[in-house]
Amino acid sequence: MPGAGPAAVSELGFGPRLQAAMARRGPLCVGIDPHPALLSAWELPDDAAGVERFSRTVLEAAAGRCAAFKPQVALFERHGSAGMAALERLLAEAAAADVLTIADAKRGDIGSTMAAYAQAWLADGSPLAADAVTLSPYLGFDSLRPALDLAAVTGRGVFVLALTSNPEGAGVQHAGDDGDGGSVAGRICAAAADENAARRSADGWGPVGLVVGATVGAETIRRLGIDLAAVAGPLLAPGYGAQGAGVAEVAATFGRAVPAALVSSSRQILAAGPAAADVRAAVEATVEDLRSLAPAG
């Protein structure tokens, strides 16, 4: 029920837990994106009840068959308090089923406001607590300190926007490009690597991941002088499937960091619904495809 919140996570940190899930189930993260067009295609109402039925079907179909789920918070939030209550129940049910969740909220602010966002998404007992949350660092990486510190305490993780798959992102993320990691994106990657160096266990990833679009391309990574493998954390990779990236593009973009790539797919899988069996088959086919990933070069 709303307000109950998921239980505290395992004492094992988010990085090692995600590594274990990817080793068992492959590197797929299934996006739970209840877009109005998908709700219509599934013959569901565009309201909180429709969003909840949609989300539960995806959870039922894919639980145990992918490494993580990524609900898009905005598509719940657009239905007000009832939509957010549906998200709370989804997160609690996923936790009860031992399924990792990444709340795609893209939060970013300063001071007490950032601390409040951290409490909402990363604190034990919060009704919105997920295993990880996406964050925007564009008020300065260290403005995320409340979330970075709380994630480390509660065994959760964060994914910081670094090189996103939307074309508009380059105007900000590539700024300061000197070919030696001096771009905005390069500095974010270096800051994440420093956090993980201080917090990770000897044999596992740290709690700070990055969002790096699968469509960014190897040439961009090389030109910016970014070493994604040095982050020593997971790399959430949107852009697979409907946005145009396939296995070859993922391998090329991530290079020797490809074992850290958690590949997110939403529309290509969700379009297979509304039958849970059809969504399940789409998940299984995607996982099989992604198991062929190997570092390029």
Side-chain angles (χ1 to χ4, degrees), residues 78-107:
R78 67 186 286 267
H79 296 289
S81 59
M84 294 304 284
L87 177 59
E88 291 173 7
R89 287 189 287 269
L90 174 67
L91 292 170
E93 289 166 12
D98 194 27
V99 175
L100 293 176
T101 53
I102 302 164
D104 196 356
K106 299 182 178 71
R107 296 299 192 247

Side-chain angles (χ1 to χ4, degrees), residues 143-292:
S143 69
L144 306 178
R145 179 58 50 198
L148 300 172
D149 290 347
L150 185 57
V153 169
T154 62
R156 294 182 164 88
V158 302
F159 285 92
V160 180
L161 303 179
L163 283 164
T164 56
S165 54
N166 62 308
E168 304 89 346
V172 173
Q173 296 157 15
H174 297 191
D177 175 20
D178 61 2
D180 194 27
S183 64
V184 170
R187 291 169 187 264
I188 290 167
C189 293
D194 288 345
E195 285 290 317
N196 285 333
R199 299 187 187 275
R200 73 187 184 96
S201 62
D203 57 352
W205 291 332
V208 182
L210 297 176
V211 178
V212 178
T215 56
V216 166
E219 175 55 33
T220 296
I221 303 293
R222 282 194 297 268
R223 177 171 56 78
L224 296 176
I226 292 173
D227 181 0
L228 292 175
V231 173
L235 304 170
L236 181 61
Y240 178 87
Q243 293 185 51
V247 168
E249 288 75 19
V250 173
T253 294
F254 290 91
R256 67 189 184 94
V258 83
L262 176 64
V263 180
S264 177
S265 182
S266 302
R267 279 176 287 171
Q268 182 166 292
I269 289 171
L270 301 177
D278 292 337
V279 176
R280 185 176 302 118
V283 168
E284 290 172 346
T286 303
V287 169
E288 186 62 27
D289 193 37
L290 292 175
R291 284 195 184 277
S292 66

Side-chain angles (χ1 to χ4, degrees), residues 25 35 51 53 76 87 112 125 127 137 149 151 175 189 202 209 291:
R25 300 167 182 162
H35 287 283
V51 165
R53 286 176 58 192
F76 293 81
L87 177 59
S112 60
D149 290 347
C189 293
R291 284 195 184 277

